[in-house]
Amino acid sequence: AGLHNAAVAKGKLYFGSATDNPELTDAPYLAQLSSTEDFGQITPGNAQKWDSTEPSQNTFSYTNGDVVADLAAANGQKLRCHTLVWHSQLPNWVSSGTWTNATLIAAMKNHITNVVTHYKGKCYAWDVANEALNEDGTYRDNVFYQTIGEAYLPIAFAAAAAADPDAKLYYNDYNIESPGAKSTGAQRIVKLVQQYGAKIDGVGLQAHFIVGSTPSQSAQVSNLAAITALGVEVAYTELDIRMTLPSTAALLTKQSSDYQNTVAACMANAKCVGITIWDYTDKYSWIPNTFAGQGDALPWDANLVKKPAYAGILAGLGVT
Ligand code: G3I
């Protein structure tokens, strides 16, 4: 069947994977990434971030992002575009610049307008703002919030909407996959952008989970319902489920059921449009570089062999 084919058969728009430019020279990796039976959508993991696209002010660079966008087009895959306004992978000229309210708004709008215009017509969705919240649901104290206040969020969404009216505009964050202060914060951002009169179409739930402490299916179902009640769609945008290494048969079985429950939560909400895993193979996961001693978070192992999680995802998609 394949993950994407199964998702589409059940009414979803896509099942997809993140990727990154260095990996694309790996021919077996690229062949599986390009298999539209499994992946109907890809996301560039780094290539469209601010430090890649505008490393110095008003000098734009689209080489790596275009490689991923062209690959999606050649394969007939949707592209989720990631990300416009984020505190991380932000060049020093932004994060350490000397700004006023007016000059930072102008620089932010210039960035958004240029990048979104460059990719106009190619992005199913843009993650307009990424990780703007602290764990308690208050605003993260990044340069945008410090200088502009919460208005930076609706201003960013309005600029993106003006540059590509057809792209779905998302707020994207982690630890918002079950009810709680941070998910409430994400819902507050949706309402803020709406009240400002700007367009917001969706909330992206990154879903960087841990085997055994993945939120339950019922918690995820309630959470998705609370968000979609605001009139926006949702998507799982960066799903992976890590474990402390070495993996065991029991951990791989638990990982499979954690994947199944998460995918099933999306299936249970008609406004959950799709699911993206944050790359598909343990060979190229971000986890071991960030969490020492952890890994094996993805449905294909480092040899590109399917793990039990693959069958768990299919089961979550309703394939028996
Ligand atoms: O580009 C430099 C390169 O010049 C240098 O030689 C190399 C040496 O380590 O580092 C390269 O930068 C790395 C970059 O990825 C590109 O490969 C950074 O060190 C590394 O920290 C960075 O990691 C990325 C991470 O975001 C940074 O926050 C991951 O690949 C990427 O998967 C990850 O993705 C994020 C999402 O955007 C947002 N949600 C969380 C998710 C996981 O952290």
Side-chain angles (χ1 to χ4, degrees):
L3 305 179
H4 175 66
N5 284 348
V8 169
K10 298 289 180 171
K12 300 302 171 190
L13 292 182
Y14 61 81
F15 192 96
S17 175
T19 188
D20 205 358
N21 298 77
E23 309 155 20
L24 299 175
T25 58
D26 177 339
Y29 169 85
L30 179 61
Q32 174 59 56
L33 180 72
S34 300
S35 160
T36 53
E37 297 195 353
D38 282 315
F39 304 124
Q41 177 273 321
I42 58 177
T43 304
N46 284 300
Q48 293 177 321
K49 292 170 177 176
W50 199 316
D51 63 354
S52 298
T53 53
E54 193 185 6
S56 60
Q57 189 164 14
N58 210 31
T59 300
F60 291 89
S61 166
Y62 295 115
T63 310
N64 281 348
D66 287 355
V67 168
V68 179
D70 291 349
L71 177 66
N75 290 341
Q77 294 165 318
K78 292 187 191 306
L79 186 69
R80 285 197 89 265
C81 292
H82 174 82
T83 176
L84 295 168
V85 181
W86 188 26
H87 67 278
S88 182
Q89 290 171 287
L90 191 59
N92 282 335
W93 71 264
V94 185
S95 54
S96 306
T98 303
W99 300 109
T100 65
N101 183 56
T103 60
L104 187 56
I105 288 174
M108 184 182 76
K109 284 170 128 178
N110 187 55
H111 178 75
I112 293 169
T113 302
N114 270 277
V115 177
V116 176
T117 299
H118 181 81
Y119 290 106
K120 186 177 190 313
K122 296 182 176 172
C123 304
Y124 167 71
W126 261 110
D127 290 331
V128 175
N130 193 45
E131 302 175 8
L133 294 167
N134 295 316
E135 293 306 297
D136 67 359
T138 59
Y139 288 112
R140 190 189 284 270
D141 197 20
N142 62 32
V143 67
F144 306 102
Y145 184 70
Q146 283 170 12
T147 311
I148 305 168
E150 69 179 6
Y152 89 85
L153 291 160
I155 292 168
F157 278 84
D164 186 352
D166 295 329
K168 302 282 186 191
L169 304 183
Y170 272 63
Y171 176 69
N172 191 55
D173 211 332
Y174 61 91
N175 289 349
I176 61 166
E177 299 84 7
S178 56
K182 197 170 183 185
S183 177
T184 302
Q187 293 163 45
R188 190 182 72 242
I189 288 174
V190 172
K191 290 183 259 188
L192 173 75
V193 176
Q194 290 171 337
Q195 284 161 4
Y196 189 93
K199 187 171 89 110
I200 180 166
D201 300 294
V203 173
L205 303 100
Q206 293 184 10
H208 294 296
F209 291 148
I210 300 170
V211 172
S213 53
T214 296
S216 71
Q217 185 176 328
S218 62
Q220 295 196 59
V221 166
S222 329
N223 183 62
L224 296 179
I227 298 171
T228 58
L230 302 175
V232 293
E233 64 183 46
V234 287
Y236 283 95
T237 54
E238 306 184 11
L239 175 61
D240 53 23
I241 310 183
R242 64 187 183 265
M243 62 181 73
T244 298
L245 299 174
S247 77
T248 61
L251 282 166
L252 291 170
T253 300
K254 179 62 177 156
Q255 180 181 53
S256 180
S257 63
D258 285 349
Y259 266 104
Q260 178 176 342
N261 290 338
T262 299
V263 170
C266 178
M267 301 311 286
N269 188 311
K271 296 189 74 179
C272 186
V273 298
I275 298 162
T276 306
I277 49 178
W278 205 241
D279 225 317
Y280 72 86
T281 160
D282 295 331
K283 188 173 185 180
Y284 296 120
S285 172
W286 67 289
I287 298 286
N289 296 327
T290 303
F291 300 104
Q294 298 183 53
D296 287 5
L298 293 166
W300 276 259
D301 73 15
N303 297 314
L304 308 188
V305 175
K306 290 170 185 167
K307 294 155 61 179
Y310 184 92
I313 295 171
L314 278 179
L317 292 169
V319 177
T320 47

